[in-house]
Amino acid sequence: MVPSEAYQYKGVVHLLHHFRWTWIGLLAMDDDRGNQFLQTIVPILTENSICSAFTFKLPKATYMEEVVEEMTVKLSERYQYLMDRKTNVLFLYGEPPVVTYLRIIFTKVVFTSLTPLSKVWIISSHWDFESLALQNILDMETLHGTLSFTVHSNQLPGFQEFLQTIRPFWAEGDGFIQIFWEQAFGCSLKHKQEDVEEICTGEEKLESLPGTSFEMHMTGYSYNVYNAVYAAAHALHNINIHGSKHRRLAKVGRLDVQNIQPWQLHHCLKRTLFNNSAGESVRFDKNRELVTVFDLTNWLIFPNGSFARVKVGRLDPFAPSDNQLTLNDDRIVWHRGFKEVRCSDWRLILKVQSLLL
């Protein structure tokens, strides 16, 4: 149910061509996934006449203390790469550790003489805001105006009403919701403790929480989980209805799910096609990967730590190849310091400089 990264990279190329951005920097964590990203994306960019000005690898650290120490020692040295004045567009392979690392960089820059970044960020779909205690104290305005291809979502009938019914003791044994409730509302569901001044009533409203803690709209990840459950249900239903020499039925005629092997379910999943309750099609390609739309999201970061996500475009694999990316340019909010630089412009500048020397 995880959309293919390869198709997302095609969308990035469409986006770069649309704005004629041909000179960009690449950032990723220095690990297997980050290195695989760089090995994959550099040839794609080259084939599409896009210049990679530099690759910035963020060192992998096991503990937060190691990250802070690394940035304290090498902040100025590493920051100069990001400050490259020829590069105003940065493409980040945005897994959560990378974003945490960047938050520390941005925060430390505030307390130094270094100039804050004024770049346009393009971030992969792995990235999203997290409910972190550090969210409010780490500078994030540097990412204002970020563009990212996010996992597509749609609002399902009754979802808002469902969220409004959630209470911390709504299901026996659901410890997760109780832990989340205490952290989100800053109270305790147990008897009053010394380090907690307020007791949770259990009637707190999720809609009162800021978006950085909880979003009332269905996110792409939740939408994928919803579709995954129904995809499995449809596959099991088809096994039961159409029959198979490998399935077993209980005496009452119901499917004995415990005797279904994973390979049997997968074989049926690849042929699964259905419309969900939002009216959208759920299907898989020949490689058994989810074929889905990406939303192009513009992230707006405000001084008080809040944010807004605005859909400004759509990447549709079902559309003709020359019309897969649709954009509403007028809705995009750019970082105030953004200036466009074209690859060909800098090639000319460097050539002139070489002639003058």
Side-chain angles (χ1 to χ4, degrees):
M1 297 301 296
V2 179
S4 172
E5 292 182 356
Y7 183 69
Q8 184 181 168
Y9 298 155
K10 293 181 182 179
V12 171
V13 170
H14 284 307
L15 179 65
L16 295 174
H17 281 171
H18 177 82
F19 289 109
R20 298 181 181 178
W21 293 333
T22 55
W23 187 264
I24 70 171
L26 302 173
L27 296 88
M29 187 66 74
D30 190 7
D31 57 14
D32 290 343
R33 289 181 62 84
N35 291 329
Q36 180 61 43
F37 160 73
L38 294 174
Q39 292 172 10
T40 302
I41 194 63
V42 170
I44 294 176
L45 296 176
T46 303
E47 292 171 3
N48 288 276
S49 302
I50 298 168
C51 304
S52 174
F54 62 82
T55 57
F56 186 94
K57 293 185 178 181
L58 296 159
K60 185 178 181 180
T62 306
Y63 301 101
M64 183 63 70
E65 292 81 0
E66 295 179 6
V67 175
V68 175
E69 182 180 357
E70 171 76 19
M71 285 314 308
T72 301
V73 174
K74 298 183 178 181
L75 176 61
S76 297
E77 175 187 339
R78 293 185 175 278
Y79 195 68
Q80 293 306 314
Y81 284 96
L82 301 180
M83 284 297 297
D84 181 3
R85 64 191 182 93
K86 301 187 300 297
T87 311
N88 283 339
V89 180
L90 303 176
F91 182 23
L92 171 68
Y93 188 69
E95 292 188 304
V98 176
V99 180
T100 301
Y101 201 111
L102 287 176
R103 286 173 177 169
I104 295 174
I105 293 178
F106 301 153
T107 302
K108 292 184 72 66
V109 165
V110 173
F111 300 101
T112 67
S113 59
L114 296 173
T115 305
L117 287 176
S118 298
K119 309 284 187 178
V120 168
W121 294 81
I122 301 174
I123 304 185
S124 66
S125 65
H126 306 86
W127 179 72
D128 208 338
F129 278 93
E130 303 160 302
S131 298
L132 296 177
L134 294 174
Q135 181 78 43
N136 293 329
I137 66 172
L138 294 181
D139 178 76
M140 291 295 289
E141 286 190 76
T142 302
L143 294 177
H144 178 67
T146 289
L147 295 171
S148 69
F149 284 98
T150 55
V151 178
H152 174 67
S153 65
N154 204 337
Q155 299 312 305
L156 302 169
F159 183 67
Q160 294 285 321
E161 292 77 7
F162 166 74
L163 291 180
Q164 293 170 358
T165 66
I166 294 179
R167 295 294 180 268
F169 299 106
W170 72 328
E172 184 178 355
D174 187 351
F176 170 78
I177 188 64
Q178 296 176 23
I179 294 173
F180 167 79
W181 204 272
E182 291 182 329
Q183 292 179 347
F185 292 104
C187 57
S188 174
L189 289 166
K190 303 174 184 177
H191 295 295
K192 190 170 184 178
Q193 301 175 355
E194 294 181 0
D195 57 341
V196 178
E197 298 181 358
E198 186 176 351
I199 301 297
C200 299
T201 66
E203 296 300 320
E204 291 82 6
K205 304 295 184 181
L206 290 175
E207 56 263 36
S208 69
L209 294 173
T212 51
S213 297
F214 188 83
E215 293 189 63
M216 289 295 289
H217 296 287
M218 177 165 281
T219 65
Y221 300 108
S222 297
Y223 192 63
N224 266 11
V225 171
Y226 175 87
N227 286 330
V229 172
Y230 272 90
H234 276 279
L236 291 172
H237 179 72
N238 290 335
I239 292 175
N240 191 20
I241 294 297
H242 300 293
S244 169
K245 63 180 179 181
H246 301 290
R247 71 178 173 88
R248 299 178 182 177
L249 295 178
K251 293 181 180 179
V252 294
R254 297 172 56 191
L255 180 64
D256 185 359
V257 178
Q258 294 181 347
N259 290 323
I260 293 295
Q261 299 300 312
W263 68 266
Q264 294 174 268
L265 181 61
H266 293 167
H267 179 73
C268 198
L269 272 173
K270 69 179 182 179
R271 295 176 297 178
T272 298
L273 170 63
F274 65 95
N275 290 334
N276 62 21
S277 60
E280 294 191 321
S281 174
V282 178
R283 69 179 69 181
F284 302 90
D285 63 17
K286 61 182 180 180
N287 297 319
R288 304 183 186 181
E289 293 180 334
L290 180 69
V291 180
T292 186
V293 170
F294 281 98
D295 294 325
L296 182 61
T297 299
N298 187 205
W299 296 87
L300 311 183
I301 317 297
F302 303 107
N304 63 359
S306 63
F307 71 93
R309 62 170 91 204
V310 180
K311 291 184 181 181
V312 295
R314 176 184 175 96
L315 182 64
D316 187 353
F318 305 110
S321 58
D322 59 344
N323 196 34
Q324 291 186 343
L325 179 65
T326 56
L327 282 175
N328 189 340
D329 296 24
D330 295 338
R331 298 194 67 190
I332 299 176
V333 176
W334 303 107
H335 193 284
R336 60 183 177 276
F338 169 61
K339 293 180 180 179
E340 182 179 343
V341 177
R342 298 183 186 179
C343 178
S344 56
D345 296 338
W346 277 103
R347 282 175 174 166
L348 179 60
I349 292 172
L350 294 174
K351 184 177 181 179
V352 172
Q353 287 179 342
S354 65
L355 294 174
L356 293 174
L357 292 175

